[in-house]
Amino acid sequence: LVLLLTVLLGFLRHSKGTGAGHQQCASPDTDTVTKNNFDWKYDAVVAPGQYKSIEFDDLPGFTRSVSKRNYALVTPESHVWARNPLWDNAMTAHIISPAVGSNFAMYMAKMNADGRGRNPLNDGIERFIVVLNGTVSVTADTGVDEKGVVLNGGDFMYLPCNISHNIATWQDKNAVLLVFERKYKVKGVVPKFHHGSIDAMPTVPAAGEVFTLRKLLPDVYDYDFNIHVMDFMPGEHLNVREVHYNQHGLLLVHGKGIYRLGDDWMPVKKGDAIWMAPYVPQWFAALGNEPARYILYKDTTEDPLHSSEMSIV
């Protein structure tokens, strides 16, 4: 552990430059490539090569995936795709579910041409989708009128609980979605149907941090969770070493780095997903020579003492 920390801190110091006579680590020209103008590619998350483990022919069964009491790292080669009664002509791979103790589900839906996704079976389930690849059409009955929206790669949509909706692909187009679902817990309000594009969302200040933050849902108590998109240039890292009651579900959609989870230091790359239980120590640093971006679920507005019976008066 001491050796790993020494190497990591040395890399971070070197990536920022060490004065005259020392050459910086290879990284994008910060005058021309920034987190705001980088061409983020979401379809790389589901590219065929992502579903290969490290190719050691003499180590069958090898995977970087890890499952522990308070966190899980799920790498692409560990995804298990199966039919799902809510998704026609499609396959889903559940990465996080209440089976590990989470208060939400996180999965990927691989929709073939002419695929369909329907409402969750149970009342009170809210759904958030991000299009990773392809194009889908979503029709939602908002109670005021029926809205039809076309979503492309990098677009997202929040579907409040009990709103009838249909997610569809065209006859000649496939799509891959990242889906978050959970039971809505706030009493006395109805959150609004919401959609947009990640890169069109404004950045939000993050006190004491250098990463770029976007929040995809309005920061009000009507929504009992939020989805954060966090961007890091190579060498940038979280300043806070977090330990908190919130749960996380994370998908790294670009770049690579190292994630501290409890007492473990896990190398991660695009396509990797992480579940973080309450109070697990966590920290991230971006490595390599390209920006890193991850999509993060966080139950931001829950009171830890009354999270099962929240109400807004």
Side-chain angles (χ1 to χ4, degrees):
L1 178 59
V2 173
L3 177 60
L4 176 60
L5 284 173
T6 302
V7 172
L8 177 60
L9 291 175
F11 172 86
L12 294 176
R13 285 195 297 268
H14 188 61
S15 68
K16 295 179 181 178
T18 55
H22 292 268
Q23 186 178 6
Q24 290 186 331
C25 291
S27 63
D29 184 347
T30 55
D31 292 333
T32 58
V33 178
T34 70
K35 290 171 285 189
N36 291 328
N37 68 16
F38 188 78
D39 185 17
W40 302 100
K41 299 292 187 183
Y42 295 89
D43 53 359
V45 175
V46 292
Q50 287 295 105
Y51 291 88
K52 294 181 180 179
S53 181
I54 296 175
E55 296 183 7
F56 293 139
D57 293 337
D58 57 341
L59 290 177
F62 174 81
T63 178
R64 293 184 297 110
S65 294
V66 175
S67 180
K68 295 197 173 183
R69 178 189 61 82
N70 56 359
Y71 82 84
L73 169 65
V74 182
T75 57
E77 75 276 359
S78 298
H79 292 180
V80 177
W81 297 91
R83 295 174 59 189
N84 188 307
L86 297 180
W87 298 84
D88 298 332
N89 202 19
M91 303 284 278
T92 61
H94 271 74
I95 301 168
I96 302 170
S97 79
V100 297
S102 67
N103 61 11
F104 67 100
M106 171 179 162
Y107 62 95
M108 298 174 73
K110 187 184 295 183
M111 303 179 68
N112 296 320
D114 202 24
R116 295 287 185 275
R118 298 189 301 278
N119 290 35
L121 292 174
N122 298 327
D123 290 339
I125 301 298
E126 54 190 335
R127 175 181 277 172
F128 190 100
I129 64 174
V130 180
V131 180
L132 298 176
N133 175 263
T135 301
V136 297
S137 173
V138 183
T139 304
D141 183 359
T142 65
V144 178
D145 57 7
E146 189 170 86
K147 294 186 178 294
V149 180
V150 174
L151 302 178
N152 298 298
D155 293 342
F156 64 88
M157 177 175 287
Y158 170 74
L159 294 153
C161 61
N162 302 328
I163 283 187
S164 177
H165 62 271
N166 183 68
I167 305 169
T169 52
W170 281 270
Q171 292 183 351
D172 60 344
K173 294 183 182 295
N174 300 337
V176 182
L177 309 180
L178 173 65
V179 185
F180 297 92
E181 293 175 347
R182 59 171 277 154
K183 187 172 182 62
Y184 185 63
K185 294 185 177 181
V186 183
K187 298 179 180 179
V189 297
V190 178
K192 294 181 180 179
F193 169 83
H194 186 72
H195 67 91
S197 179
I198 291 175
D199 288 332
M201 298 298 292
T203 59
V204 180
E209 298 288 357
V210 296
F211 64 82
T212 299
L213 171 65
R214 291 174 174 86
K215 297 184 179 182
L216 303 189
L217 286 175
D219 199 11
V220 296
Y221 287 115
D222 294 5
Y223 300 87
D224 57 356
F225 74 97
N226 213 317
I227 301 295
H228 293 182
V229 177
M230 301 167 67
D231 300 340
F232 300 78
M233 293 299 287
E236 291 183 348
H237 58 85
L238 292 170
N239 284 322
V240 63
R241 285 69 103 187
E242 294 183 315
V243 177
H244 51 57
Y245 72 86
N246 308 99
Q247 298 190 28
H248 287 321
L250 179 155
L251 178 66
L252 190 65
V253 297
H254 199 279
K256 58 186 176 181
I258 188 163
Y259 225 107
R260 177 185 177 176
L261 298 164
D263 293 330
D264 300 323
W265 300 76
M266 310 299 295
V268 292
K269 65 177 184 176
K270 64 184 177 184
D272 290 352
I274 302 173
W275 171 64
M276 288 170 262
Y279 298 106
V280 62
Q282 54 198 258
W283 180 85
F284 174 74
L287 305 178
N289 57 9
E290 291 188 333
R293 167 174 285 188
Y294 56 72
I295 298 172
L296 181 81
Y297 160 94
K298 186 175 184 179
D299 45 358
T300 49
T301 58
E302 287 199 74
D303 183 292
L305 187 59
H306 305 102
S307 60
S308 62
E309 52 185 32
M310 290 177 60
S311 63
I312 302 294
V313 179

